[in-house]
Amino acid sequence: MNVTVVLAIAAFALSAYGTYDLVYRRVQARKKSFTDADRSVVTSAVELIEPYRVRVRELVEYVSELEAKLKDANRLIDKLTREVQELRTQVGAMRDTIED
Amino acid sequence: MSTPSAIVDDRRNPFHVLLLVACVLAGAGGLIDPGRGSTVIRQYFAEWQLYVWYGGVFAGAVIALGALFIGTVIGYYVERIGLYLLAGLCLSYTAAIALGGAQFLALGGLTVLAFTTACIARLARIHSILRHQ
């Protein structure tokens, strides 16, 4: 049997090993599915996180309210600025009248 | 921080895909008529062994090519199966040319040797990726 044939056989053997490794890992991965103990750990973790989740949601709502108030305040400032501008114009006109 | 090799690894580049397509075609051609295939390989294999050899090249290339389209880590395991076949069979082809002597440094010999080296390098890369999983 020459080197060429030996190498070809080695190729098939390695490929068969690769197939075995793939199947073995798939089987191992299936075995590692969740047990009841794992589920209970996850449930406890979710319960632990829940109050913080509620608190975060409240904070987000509070920030939204503040944002709405800030928008209102900005609108009011714009309106007042416009009114002051009008008053200034009126005062200027009255001063001109008095000077005349 | 570990390198996210699996994320940055670019598997479906045209060069990679077309090389494997070429192997699929070469394997299929040999399976259809092994007598008209490479004279080098015919010196070392019996006729039924030629079918196995070309079948191996065809199967290896199809498996490695198909694996490129599996998005998960399983794709690397499947690609490895195909590349083991391709690398080993191309190495046997290189050995056949080397045993033939004079033709080894000719274009055909060097090309197959380069492809074999590329397969081995790719296998090393896959091993490195799988070790970090």
Side-chain angles (χ1 to χ4, degrees), chain B residues 68-89:
Chain B
L68 298 184
F69 298 91
I70 301 173
T72 59
V73 76
I74 295 296
Y76 289 109
Y77 284 101
V78 178
E79 190 182 350
R80 200 173 61 164
I81 295 170
L83 286 183
Y84 272 144
L85 257 182
L86 276 182
L89 292 175

PDB file of all heavy atoms in Angstrom, chain B residues 68-89:
ATOM      1  N   LEU B  68     -21.127  26.417   4.480  1.00  0.00           N
ATOM      2  CA  LEU B  68     -20.970  27.876   4.456  1.00  0.00           C
ATOM      3  C   LEU B  68     -22.318  28.580   4.623  1.00  0.00           C
ATOM      4  O   LEU B  68     -22.384  29.744   4.983  1.00  0.00           O
ATOM      5  CB  LEU B  68     -20.330  28.324   3.137  1.00  0.00           C
ATOM      6  CG  LEU B  68     -18.930  27.811   2.832  1.00  0.00           C
ATOM      7  CD1 LEU B  68     -18.424  28.424   1.549  1.00  0.00           C
ATOM      8  CD2 LEU B  68     -17.979  28.130   3.961  1.00  0.00           C
ATOM      9  N   PHE B  69     -23.377  27.858   4.337  1.00  0.00           N
ATOM     10  CA  PHE B  69     -24.707  28.470   4.412  1.00  0.00           C
ATOM     11  C   PHE B  69     -25.440  28.119   5.703  1.00  0.00           C
ATOM     12  O   PHE B  69     -26.617  28.403   5.843  1.00  0.00           O
ATOM     13  CB  PHE B  69     -25.529  28.078   3.174  1.00  0.00           C
ATOM     14  CG  PHE B  69     -24.889  28.589   1.914  1.00  0.00           C
ATOM     15  CD1 PHE B  69     -23.979  27.814   1.217  1.00  0.00           C
ATOM     16  CD2 PHE B  69     -25.152  29.873   1.470  1.00  0.00           C
ATOM     17  CE1 PHE B  69     -23.344  28.291   0.082  1.00  0.00           C
ATOM     18  CE2 PHE B  69     -24.520  30.368   0.336  1.00  0.00           C
ATOM     19  CZ  PHE B  69     -23.615  29.574  -0.367  1.00  0.00           C
ATOM     20  N   ILE B  70     -24.717  27.470   6.637  1.00  0.00           N
ATOM     21  CA  ILE B  70     -25.295  27.216   7.965  1.00  0.00           C
ATOM     22  C   ILE B  70     -24.773  28.323   8.874  1.00  0.00           C
ATOM     23  O   ILE B  70     -23.570  28.427   9.102  1.00  0.00           O
ATOM     24  CB  ILE B  70     -24.884  25.833   8.508  1.00  0.00           C
ATOM     25  CG1 ILE B  70     -25.345  24.733   7.551  1.00  0.00           C
ATOM     26  CG2 ILE B  70     -25.477  25.601   9.900  1.00  0.00           C
ATOM     27  CD1 ILE B  70     -24.849  23.345   7.918  1.00  0.00           C
ATOM     28  N   GLY B  71     -25.673  29.150   9.322  1.00  0.00           N
ATOM     29  CA  GLY B  71     -25.262  30.347  10.061  1.00  0.00           C
ATOM     30  C   GLY B  71     -24.720  30.092  11.462  1.00  0.00           C
ATOM     31  O   GLY B  71     -23.988  30.899  11.997  1.00  0.00           O
ATOM     32  N   THR B  72     -25.063  28.962  12.071  1.00  0.00           N
ATOM     33  CA  THR B  72     -24.667  28.735  13.468  1.00  0.00           C
ATOM     34  C   THR B  72     -23.288  28.084  13.546  1.00  0.00           C
ATOM     35  O   THR B  72     -22.664  27.810  12.525  1.00  0.00           O
ATOM     36  CB  THR B  72     -25.683  27.806  14.157  1.00  0.00           C
ATOM     37  OG1 THR B  72     -25.712  26.578  13.434  1.00  0.00           O
ATOM     38  CG2 THR B  72     -27.055  28.418  14.186  1.00  0.00           C
ATOM     39  N   VAL B  73     -22.857  27.818  14.778  1.00  0.00           N
ATOM     40  CA  VAL B  73     -21.537  27.214  14.999  1.00  0.00           C
ATOM     41  C   VAL B  73     -21.471  25.784  14.433  1.00  0.00           C
ATOM     42  O   VAL B  73     -20.391  25.292  14.101  1.00  0.00           O
ATOM     43  CB  VAL B  73     -21.200  27.256  16.510  1.00  0.00           C
ATOM     44  CG1 VAL B  73     -21.945  26.204  17.283  1.00  0.00           C
ATOM     45  CG2 VAL B  73     -19.708  27.096  16.731  1.00  0.00           C
ATOM     46  N   ILE B  74     -22.612  25.153  14.268  1.00  0.00           N
ATOM     47  CA  ILE B  74     -22.666  23.803  13.670  1.00  0.00           C
ATOM     48  C   ILE B  74     -22.029  23.830  12.281  1.00  0.00           C
ATOM     49  O   ILE B  74     -21.417  22.862  11.842  1.00  0.00           O
ATOM     50  CB  ILE B  74     -24.138  23.322  13.572  1.00  0.00           C
ATOM     51  CG1 ILE B  74     -24.736  23.140  14.967  1.00  0.00           C
ATOM     52  CG2 ILE B  74     -24.287  22.019  12.789  1.00  0.00           C
ATOM     53  CD1 ILE B  74     -24.073  22.070  15.795  1.00  0.00           C
ATOM     54  N   GLY B  75     -22.186  24.980  11.608  1.00  0.00           N
ATOM     55  CA  GLY B  75     -21.606  25.140  10.272  1.00  0.00           C
ATOM     56  C   GLY B  75     -20.109  24.854  10.256  1.00  0.00           C
ATOM     57  O   GLY B  75     -19.595  24.253   9.319  1.00  0.00           O
ATOM     58  N   TYR B  76     -19.420  25.285  11.322  1.00  0.00           N
ATOM     59  CA  TYR B  76     -17.971  25.050  11.387  1.00  0.00           C
ATOM     60  C   TYR B  76     -17.661  23.555  11.519  1.00  0.00           C
ATOM     61  O   TYR B  76     -16.713  23.063  10.926  1.00  0.00           O
ATOM     62  CB  TYR B  76     -17.357  25.810  12.563  1.00  0.00           C
ATOM     63  CG  TYR B  76     -17.318  27.298  12.354  1.00  0.00           C
ATOM     64  CD1 TYR B  76     -18.137  28.152  13.063  1.00  0.00           C
ATOM     65  CD2 TYR B  76     -16.448  27.854  11.420  1.00  0.00           C
ATOM     66  CE1 TYR B  76     -18.106  29.519  12.868  1.00  0.00           C
ATOM     67  CE2 TYR B  76     -16.393  29.212  11.217  1.00  0.00           C
ATOM     68  CZ  TYR B  76     -17.229  30.051  11.940  1.00  0.00           C
ATOM     69  OH  TYR B  76     -17.193  31.397  11.736  1.00  0.00           O
ATOM     70  N   TYR B  77     -18.481  22.868  12.320  1.00  0.00           N
ATOM     71  CA  TYR B  77     -18.265  21.421  12.485  1.00  0.00           C
ATOM     72  C   TYR B  77     -18.489  20.701  11.152  1.00  0.00           C
ATOM     73  O   TYR B  77     -17.745  19.800  10.787  1.00  0.00           O
ATOM     74  CB  TYR B  77     -19.210  20.846  13.551  1.00  0.00           C
ATOM     75  CG  TYR B  77     -18.790  21.176  14.964  1.00  0.00           C
ATOM     76  CD1 TYR B  77     -19.411  22.192  15.671  1.00  0.00           C
ATOM     77  CD2 TYR B  77     -17.764  20.468  15.583  1.00  0.00           C
ATOM     78  CE1 TYR B  77     -19.021  22.503  16.963  1.00  0.00           C
ATOM     79  CE2 TYR B  77     -17.363  20.777  16.869  1.00  0.00           C
ATOM     80  CZ  TYR B  77     -17.995  21.791  17.559  1.00  0.00           C
ATOM     81  OH  TYR B  77     -17.599  22.099  18.822  1.00  0.00           O
ATOM     82  N   VAL B  78     -19.534  21.106  10.440  1.00  0.00           N
ATOM     83  CA  VAL B  78     -19.853  20.469   9.153  1.00  0.00           C
ATOM     84  C   VAL B  78     -18.762  20.798   8.132  1.00  0.00           C
ATOM     85  O   VAL B  78     -18.298  19.914   7.401  1.00  0.00           O
ATOM     86  CB  VAL B  78     -21.248  20.914   8.654  1.00  0.00           C
ATOM     87  CG1 VAL B  78     -21.555  20.296   7.305  1.00  0.00           C
ATOM     88  CG2 VAL B  78     -22.329  20.527   9.655  1.00  0.00           C
ATOM     89  N   GLU B  79     -18.338  22.067   8.110  1.00  0.00           N
ATOM     90  CA  GLU B  79     -17.290  22.469   7.167  1.00  0.00           C
ATOM     91  C   GLU B  79     -16.013  21.673   7.415  1.00  0.00           C
ATOM     92  O   GLU B  79     -15.312  21.267   6.484  1.00  0.00           O
ATOM     93  CB  GLU B  79     -17.016  23.969   7.325  1.00  0.00           C
ATOM     94  CG  GLU B  79     -16.120  24.518   6.219  1.00  0.00           C
ATOM     95  CD  GLU B  79     -15.812  25.993   6.394  1.00  0.00           C
ATOM     96  OE1 GLU B  79     -16.428  26.651   7.243  1.00  0.00           O
ATOM     97  OE2 GLU B  79     -14.937  26.482   5.663  1.00  0.00           O
ATOM     98  N   ARG B  80     -15.753  21.417   8.691  1.00  0.00           N
ATOM     99  CA  ARG B  80     -14.547  20.658   9.047  1.00  0.00           C
ATOM    100  C   ARG B  80     -14.587  19.243   8.445  1.00  0.00           C
ATOM    101  O   ARG B  80     -13.574  18.738   7.979  1.00  0.00           O
ATOM    102  CB  ARG B  80     -14.447  20.597  10.577  1.00  0.00           C
ATOM    103  CG  ARG B  80     -13.077  20.288  11.085  1.00  0.00           C
ATOM    104  CD  ARG B  80     -13.003  20.409  12.568  1.00  0.00           C
ATOM    105  NE  ARG B  80     -13.904  19.472  13.238  1.00  0.00           N
ATOM    106  CZ  ARG B  80     -13.819  19.154  14.518  1.00  0.00           C
ATOM    107  NH1 ARG B  80     -12.893  19.698  15.257  1.00  0.00           N
ATOM    108  NH2 ARG B  80     -14.668  18.307  15.060  1.00  0.00           N
ATOM    109  N   ILE B  81     -15.772  18.628   8.464  1.00  0.00           N
ATOM    110  CA  ILE B  81     -15.920  17.270   7.898  1.00  0.00           C
ATOM    111  C   ILE B  81     -15.514  17.292   6.416  1.00  0.00           C
ATOM    112  O   ILE B  81     -14.737  16.466   5.949  1.00  0.00           O
ATOM    113  CB  ILE B  81     -17.374  16.776   8.041  1.00  0.00           C
ATOM    114  CG1 ILE B  81     -17.741  16.625   9.510  1.00  0.00           C
ATOM    115  CG2 ILE B  81     -17.579  15.450   7.313  1.00  0.00           C
ATOM    116  CD1 ILE B  81     -19.229  16.386   9.753  1.00  0.00           C
ATOM    117  N   GLY B  82     -16.063  18.277   5.679  1.00  0.00           N
ATOM    118  CA  GLY B  82     -15.759  18.376   4.249  1.00  0.00           C
ATOM    119  C   GLY B  82     -14.300  18.692   3.984  1.00  0.00           C
ATOM    120  O   GLY B  82     -13.677  18.110   3.099  1.00  0.00           O
ATOM    121  N   LEU B  83     -13.735  19.593   4.813  1.00  0.00           N
ATOM    122  CA  LEU B  83     -12.347  20.004   4.579  1.00  0.00           C
ATOM    123  C   LEU B  83     -11.352  18.904   4.929  1.00  0.00           C
ATOM    124  O   LEU B  83     -10.299  18.798   4.314  1.00  0.00           O
ATOM    125  CB  LEU B  83     -12.035  21.284   5.362  1.00  0.00           C
ATOM    126  CG  LEU B  83     -12.656  22.558   4.800  1.00  0.00           C
ATOM    127  CD1 LEU B  83     -12.232  23.765   5.615  1.00  0.00           C
ATOM    128  CD2 LEU B  83     -12.254  22.778   3.347  1.00  0.00           C
ATOM    129  N   TYR B  84     -11.683  18.082   5.936  1.00  0.00           N
ATOM    130  CA  TYR B  84     -10.822  16.930   6.252  1.00  0.00           C
ATOM    131  C   TYR B  84     -10.694  16.052   4.999  1.00  0.00           C
ATOM    132  O   TYR B  84      -9.599  15.632   4.623  1.00  0.00           O
ATOM    133  CB  TYR B  84     -11.429  16.087   7.366  1.00  0.00           C
ATOM    134  CG  TYR B  84     -11.065  16.511   8.773  1.00  0.00           C
ATOM    135  CD1 TYR B  84     -11.993  16.413   9.806  1.00  0.00           C
ATOM    136  CD2 TYR B  84      -9.783  16.968   9.084  1.00  0.00           C
ATOM    137  CE1 TYR B  84     -11.678  16.779  11.102  1.00  0.00           C
ATOM    138  CE2 TYR B  84      -9.461  17.335  10.379  1.00  0.00           C
ATOM    139  CZ  TYR B  84     -10.411  17.239  11.388  1.00  0.00           C
ATOM    140  OH  TYR B  84     -10.094  17.598  12.661  1.00  0.00           O
ATOM    141  N   LEU B  85     -11.848  15.802   4.382  1.00  0.00           N
ATOM    142  CA  LEU B  85     -11.851  14.955   3.177  1.00  0.00           C
ATOM    143  C   LEU B  85     -11.041  15.603   2.060  1.00  0.00           C
ATOM    144  O   LEU B  85     -10.157  14.965   1.467  1.00  0.00           O
ATOM    145  CB  LEU B  85     -13.294  14.767   2.701  1.00  0.00           C
ATOM    146  CG  LEU B  85     -13.984  13.438   2.988  1.00  0.00           C
ATOM    147  CD1 LEU B  85     -15.371  13.441   2.401  1.00  0.00           C
ATOM    148  CD2 LEU B  85     -13.188  12.267   2.443  1.00  0.00           C
ATOM    149  N   LEU B  86     -11.348  16.875   1.803  1.00  0.00           N
ATOM    150  CA  LEU B  86     -10.665  17.567   0.706  1.00  0.00           C
ATOM    151  C   LEU B  86      -9.163  17.659   0.944  1.00  0.00           C
ATOM    152  O   LEU B  86      -8.370  17.362   0.047  1.00  0.00           O
ATOM    153  CB  LEU B  86     -11.238  18.980   0.552  1.00  0.00           C
ATOM    154  CG  LEU B  86     -12.504  19.125  -0.274  1.00  0.00           C
ATOM    155  CD1 LEU B  86     -12.902  20.586  -0.347  1.00  0.00           C
ATOM    156  CD2 LEU B  86     -12.302  18.592  -1.680  1.00  0.00           C
ATOM    157  N   ALA B  87      -8.789  18.064   2.171  1.00  0.00           N
ATOM    158  CA  ALA B  87      -7.360  18.237   2.473  1.00  0.00           C
ATOM    159  C   ALA B  87      -6.629  16.905   2.341  1.00  0.00           C
ATOM    160  O   ALA B  87      -5.566  16.829   1.721  1.00  0.00           O
ATOM    161  CB  ALA B  87      -7.190  18.807   3.879  1.00  0.00           C
ATOM    162  N   GLY B  88      -7.208  15.847   2.900  1.00  0.00           N
ATOM    163  CA  GLY B  88      -6.556  14.535   2.860  1.00  0.00           C
ATOM    164  C   GLY B  88      -6.426  14.011   1.435  1.00  0.00           C
ATOM    165  O   GLY B  88      -5.364  13.526   1.038  1.00  0.00           O
ATOM    166  N   LEU B  89      -7.494  14.134   0.673  1.00  0.00           N
ATOM    167  CA  LEU B  89      -7.464  13.611  -0.696  1.00  0.00           C
ATOM    168  C   LEU B  89      -6.531  14.433  -1.586  1.00  0.00           C
ATOM    169  O   LEU B  89      -5.819  13.876  -2.421  1.00  0.00           O
ATOM    170  CB  LEU B  89      -8.879  13.562  -1.280  1.00  0.00           C
ATOM    171  CG  LEU B  89      -9.795  12.536  -0.605  1.00  0.00           C
ATOM    172  CD1 LEU B  89     -11.212  12.639  -1.147  1.00  0.00           C
ATOM    173  CD2 LEU B  89      -9.270  11.127  -0.801  1.00  0.00           C
TER     174      LEU B  89
END
